[in-house]
Amino acid sequence: MAPSFNEIDTLSINTIRLLAVDATIKSNSGHPGAPMGLAPVSHVLFNKYMSFNPKNPKFFNRDRFVLSNGHGCMLLYALLHLYGYGLTMDDLKSFRQLGSKTPGHPEAADTPGVEVTTGPLGQGVSNAVGLAMAEAHFAARFNKPGYELFNNYTYAIMGDGCVMEGVSSEACSTAGHLQLGNLIVFYDDNHISIDGDTDQALTEDVLKRYEAYGWHTVWVKDGDHDLAGIAAAIEEAQSVKDKPSIIKVTTTIGFGSKLQGTHGVHGNPLKKDDAAHVKELFGFDPNESFVVPQEVYDLAAKQAAVGAAAEEAWNQLFAKYIVEYPELGADLKLRIENKLPEGWEKNLPVYTPSDPAIASRKLSETVLNKICDVVPSLIGGSADLTGSNFTRWKTAVDFQPPSTGFGEYSGRYIRYGVREHGMGAIMNGLAAYGGMIPFGGTFLNFVSYAAGAVRLSALSEARVIWVATHDSIGLGEDGPTHQPIETLVHFRALPNTMVWRPADGNETSAAYYKALTETHTPSILCLSRQNLPQLEGSSIEKAVKGGYVLKEVENADVTLVSTGSEVYLSLDATKILESKGLKARLVSLPDWHTFDKQSEEYKLSVFPDGHPILSVEVMTTLGWAKYSHEQFGINRFGASGPYLQVYKKFGFTPEGIAERAEKTIEFWAGVPLRSPIRRAFAQVE
């Protein structure tokens, strides 16, 4: 039955508007316009349709809400306050202040009730696609007759900026193909962006574009007043089970302000006289701020109580489910608790030097084949490079709408198509849903296409895994367009990001172990196209520290430190040096982030005082000064040709590395060297 609306609904809507006005005035920054225009949509959605429990923001079958346009974050904060998520009035008053629960754009790790970290436009709605995919998978895997454990919707609000960003196009095209009927997106059609009227840059028919993607489309022409129309649009969207829905809601940005409908109300607080005008217009005292009438709290509390009852009913249903379906119930319980199956790590392959040389992308494939069946929370795919990334395990079933004939929603292999950025943002949504560990494959160089999503993985503390193959000039003939030079230092510079470049099978297993067990950190696994020998002295136990001594000698003249495919070349170089009477240690440093978290004592045992250290990596040398006195790398673009010839061109042969080491020893002879690990003061983390 369609909901009815009365004066308390209107009062609630105006309260949301004025909280946004007051908070942005107090902080002297922010975006009041979008919250003022979107207050009717958000109120109808939260108060009449969404299922959630503010007392437990992580209720697993809750409806998800994503404010894709972070400019409207005060809208979300006002809702979270009204519905009892733990945001106090003092939190609203500290909007955009240092250390507050109400930062300038929503952050999942800071604010209870925020599903994903948004701000960069287009990311949130793309995350919403991942959230909807997760529900579709959980429903297909776990729902049984009489046990509809998963039936939640994912709702998102996006603006014109999100519509224009390319990442949203990639993700929304994917959603249309996947027929995600549980995804409902509101498009805030207010015709204003920062530069002014959107007619200056956006003149396409957005609904026709989304219709072409395979979405169901609805238009509410009076989003400022037509609450019944908004409700009818939501119910129409809910009735469409085989398509995602976009509801275009034409609103007035800054509704009620003297500047309504202009870009002047987009990104600046209202002037005091305008704020007074708005308050009088809506029947509030212009001399008071941060006012919430008790009737508004009461109306919100009523809906919150409905959500609490829904969770209680769900918990009782799940308790019965575990008895009737113990294996599935145990799996789901582990996922809800964010735990891995006991003993899963015993399936990680272990190698000895007698095993054959294998490309680390193939070693990665072996790991996936060993663990995907014992870790059912793993879900992954590739951006149209399955045959190059080797990301599909033998028993995999594709995640597809059953109507396509390509797979089932219960499948765990995702065909992302050529959509690296969309894939990254969707993986963030999959991870945010809970109970899933997403991985996605592409060439390392093309992870750069998805840099915006990777950055948000790190900021969001999302356990997302990139299987990034073709990691160096070793990919050979494809040439400098595909050969990464700057990519590693870019992502190594990201806080809270593991960038693994394993040298052999044991290090590849270690990389996967850390990627799965570090529950709040994303990983990029940089894997070779060319074969790598299994190394004497490597082990999973050593490699999980991020760096270790692969070859130790006493009274060394030099330490070589390397990663990935250059480690075995450096090992051969130490033998050449030995033939010349020079003693060389060798360190493998597959992941800087993990190594930097080790104790200073351990790090100094790997990089000791007393002799020079030379880094060897076929990438830019930028960044290596933190571990080495001298650097051997490539500070230009690569070249096209067979990989052995390309390596030889740039001097990356055992002989070339040995020659560099000799020069390093000669240059630093007689100088009392301290380890680069030592610092004058601790780094800020």
Side-chain angles (χ1 to χ4, degrees), residues 127-137 154 180 182-183 399 433:
N127 298 158
V129 174
L131 289 166
M133 288 168 62
E135 189 279 335
H137 174 76
T154 294
L180 299 174
N182 57 353
L183 174 61
F399 175 85
Y433 190 89

Side-chain angles (χ1 to χ4, degrees), residues 11 138 168 255 287 301 315 333 427 501 596 611:
L11 184 62
F138 271 82
S168 67
F255 182 83
N287 298 310
N315 290 337
K333 188 172 185 293
M427 287 198 292
R501 190 166 184 247
D596 288 348
H611 62 259

Side-chain angles (χ1 to χ4, degrees), residues 383-400:
D384 200 52
L385 286 168
T386 297
S388 295
N389 301 145
F390 299 121
T391 40
R392 196 175 195 274
W393 61 105
K394 292 177 182 176
T395 60
V397 174
D398 281 11
F399 175 85
Q400 294 275 6

